[in-house]
Every structure is written in structure tokens, then in C-alpha cells.
Amino acid sequence: MSTVTALPAPTAPAPGEHLRGRIAIAAAHLLVGTLGTHPARLRQALIILARRAAPAPYEAAEHARNVVTTLSPRCGSGYGCLPRSIATALLCRLDGTWPTWTSGVRFPPLASHAWIEADGTPVGEDPAVIATFTPTLTVAPGESTP
């Protein structure tokens, strides 16, 4: 997945948030490493994780994304959109919420990208750029059918 992303200034995680952020990042890398080449299986796993979750408010999702990009240089890089988006969703899930997780493609030029949305708005992404992508996989909060 590739797209240029401007990241926010580093955020100082609150006490306890550092550990929760690291757990979410490690789980995201585990999911990407084991299921990243199997989009349908990855989507099924994320659906299971999103079950019975309330929609994440924009501010909470944005804060979770900032924590993830601060704690993980790999997730904060321009090529870390898949683990970044999954880690952010997982960090939100630890609070009982889930943003809408989406991955998509565009052509030309051929590119893929993964991002999260909250309150119908891409979190930490330029909406004009996201509009150029055609969503291929989406996992909404509380979704229950794989």
C-alpha cells in the first residue's frame, strides 16, 4: 500500500496508553504478517474484532492514530498505512469502539491505501486524496457478517 501521508507532530501518550498502544501495534503487525496477503481472511478477522463495538468518535480515532504514529516509526512511514490503520482500529477497540476500516485502490497511477474513518470523515488523511481511491474492503463498527 502506498500513498504519501503527512503525519501529525508526536503525541505524548498518557500513562497506560503507551502499553495499550504497543499492544495494538504488535497485534496489527501480527495480523498483517499472517493475513496481509489474504485480504478476505484479514477482513474476516477484523469483522470478528469489530463485533458489538460502538462507532468511534472522530476525536478518539484521531488521538488513537496519533498515538500509533508516535510509538511506531514503521506505522508512521508513508508505506505503513496497513499496520497503521489496523493498529489504530485495535487501539480504539480497547476502549470499546471501532472506526470504519477501509482499504482501496486507484488507477492511474496504480496505488493502494488503507485508512480509517470516523463520523464519515477520513482520520488524519486528506479527504480529496482519499476520494481518488475505490474502496475494496471495509469493516464498519458492529459488522457481523464476514
Side-chain angles (χ1 to χ4, degrees):
M1 308 236 169
S2 60
T3 187
V4 177
T5 304
L7 297 175
T11 300
E17 209 170 39
H18 189 275
L19 177 60
R20 291 164 24 108
R22 292 278 182 205
I23 290 169
I25 292 165
H29 283 298
L30 181 64
L31 281 170
V32 170
T34 57
L35 301 174
T37 58
H38 304 281
R41 290 184 188 165
L42 177 61
R43 183 175 182 272
Q44 288 174 345
L46 294 177
I47 286 172
I48 290 168
L49 292 166
R51 281 190 185 146
R52 294 185 293 278
Y58 185 89
E59 295 77 21
E62 182 178 45
H63 179 73
R65 185 179 188 275
N66 291 345
V67 168
V68 167
T69 58
T70 297
L71 295 177
S72 173
R74 177 185 267 174
C75 287
S77 75
Y79 296 100
C81 63
L82 184 59
R84 175 177 57 241
S85 62
I86 293 172
T88 302
L90 293 175
L91 187 54
C92 288
R93 187 62 179 112
L94 291 175
D95 290 327
T97 63
W98 185 267
T100 299
W101 178 87
T102 307
S103 70
V105 296
R106 75 172 174 206
F107 181 81
L110 181 60
S112 60
H113 189 48
W115 66 95
I116 61 163
E117 295 180 2
D119 299 332
T121 305
V123 177
E125 308 278 350
D126 181 357
V129 172
I130 295 302
T132 65
F133 287 90
T134 301
T136 55
L137 297 174
T138 300
V139 178
E143 192 169 325
S144 61
T145 56

